[in-house]
Amino acid sequence: MTSSVDFDTVLPDAPPQVNMRKVAVASVIGTTVEWYDLFIFATASALVFNKIFFPSFDALIGTLLAFGTFASAYGARIFGAALFGHFGDRLGRKSMLLISLLAMGLSTFAIGLLPDYASIGIWAPISLLTLRLIQGLALGGEWGGAVLMAVEHAPKNKRGLYGSWVQIGVPVGTLLANLAFLAIAALLTPEDLLNWGWRIPFLASALLIAIGLYIRLNIHETPVFKETKANEPQVRVPLLEIARKHWKQVLLGGVATMSTGSSFNIIVAFGLTYGTQTLGFSRSVMLSVVLVSCALCIVLLPAFGALSDRFGRKPVIIAGIVAEAVVAIPMFMLMDTKSLPLVFLGYGLLMTAFAANYGPIATFLAELFGTRVRYSGLSVAYMLSGLLGSATTPIVTTALLSWTGKGSSVAWYMIGSALISLLALLLLSETFKQDLKSTPIKTK
């Protein structure tokens, strides 16, 4: 589906040594590392953290506390977006990407070395929470910078395609995270997994971080940023500028993106718990379902990104949001049959809807803002969506299942999230013909 992509296209307004192959690879590798680090935490939260760091609580409360620690990073992401966005808009995109990647990597590696609750008591979950917050700060700066490196380098008629390549980091990172846990679950006994095996995926992230840093050191600053910095006065405090003049784009952009976090977390976090604890599938089987659906998403994301270059961002995103709402109830009906082929089908349907929504959304958010505040505006809007959607989804869905005992209650939650995002998106104007150097577009 992506064989026609010419990654060797050299941009006419970029330095000769800069080509889209290098930019695309750097964007994918970096975001893959960041999302791998986050999703091994999410997977560990669903599978082992309730026993390791919250063992004095019953199973449900321990799971809620583990997911609460998982969700805490989403608040930190807002601060990270503001912090890295400020310096990214003033100093450049590249330096912030290197700093954020290093911060994420060190905190993830440190989690792999943490003593458990039995060893140091309450300091174990406190330390876990602290490192999780550092992860959130790092991702708050990472994602927006990676999007801008791709979108601001890309030709105007391929911004949606190259922006979608940044999004591939989410399913690839998730696939690697689940593959890591699938491998250790197959090789280790449950006791060894709880005692020390869960640490391996966290410690192994050091290799990915080294690769990511090496690749990102060999890319250049975006031509759009360099031209703007040379020819226009800089905004002294970008966050205040977007708060005064572009708050509608930030708020509506964040809400419009909310359903991507809800649907994806239902696939990779809640679905894993629901499949193992309620439906009785083994941990390995459910991890395999997640792996296959993530592989499907990797193929679909650039396809939908390319479609947004042809038909516009909003039509493709709207189709994805509507599809999320439509397939929500059928997905849980298919899962409740306890037939593995039908579980795969349900996951595939929801992942396809998610890919249509998520593929073009990065470029769409980037195009809402002018160059001088784009890093800040894009990052804050996206991290706001994570706070509204991804952060709350594991807690809300776990609570809904506990209260009702039915997966359909979670489906209705996903439908509500999709409808709210759709309304916000309809209040924003189309962006795919927008010149990145021009004034930010207005809301309707």
Side-chain angles (χ1 to χ4, degrees), residues 173-188:
T174 306
L175 188 150
L176 291 176
N178 283 293
L179 186 60
F181 272 97
L182 184 64
I184 62 174
L187 295 173
L188 302 178

Side-chain angles (χ1 to χ4, degrees), residues 81-273:
L83 177 65
F84 284 95
H86 173 86
F87 290 104
D89 280 325
R90 292 186 58 82
L91 303 179
R93 290 41 167 137
K94 178 180 175 179
S95 57
M96 295 303 104
L97 284 175
L98 294 173
I99 294 171
S100 62
L101 182 61
L102 188 59
M104 173 67 83
L106 291 176
S107 59
T108 301
F109 189 81
I111 289 174
L113 300 175
L114 275 182
D116 59 16
Y117 188 92
S119 300
I120 59 173
I122 192 64
W123 289 107
I126 290 175
S127 299
L128 181 68
L129 176 61
T130 301
L131 292 171
R132 177 63 177 167
L133 292 175
I134 295 174
Q135 282 189 324
L137 285 170
L139 186 64
E142 153 66 28
W143 182 85
V147 169
L148 295 190
M149 289 301 291
V151 172
E152 290 185 347
H153 271 115
K156 184 176 181 179
N157 64 340
K158 291 187 178 180
R159 292 199 303 247
L161 172 63
Y162 287 110
S164 70
W165 274 87
V166 178
Q167 307 293 68
I168 290 176
V170 172
V172 173
T174 306
L175 188 150
L176 291 176
N178 283 293
L179 186 60
F181 272 97
L182 184 64
I184 62 174
L187 295 173
L188 302 178
T189 65
E191 292 75 17
D192 286 340
L193 175 63
L194 284 173
N195 289 334
W196 55 270
W198 66 270
R199 301 178 185 275
I200 296 174
F202 290 90
L203 299 177
S205 68
L207 177 61
L208 292 176
I209 294 156
I211 295 172
L213 286 173
Y214 173 78
I215 293 176
R216 285 191 169 177
L217 284 169
N218 290 283
I219 58 175
H220 296 267
E221 188 56 81
T222 70
V224 173
F225 174 80
K226 290 191 291 186
E227 181 179 343
T228 301
K229 185 177 181 180
N231 298 324
E232 298 182 24
Q234 287 188 302
V235 176
R236 186 172 182 179
V237 184
L239 186 62
L240 293 180
E241 181 78 0
I242 63 172
R244 287 197 302 261
K245 298 182 179 180
H246 313 301
W247 64 269
K248 289 183 179 178
Q249 286 95 324
V250 171
L251 179 60
L252 291 175
V255 176
T257 313
M258 178 178 68
S259 70
T260 61
S262 298
S263 59
F264 194 76
N265 274 274
I266 285 173
I267 293 174
V268 302
F270 173 80
L272 187 63
T273 304

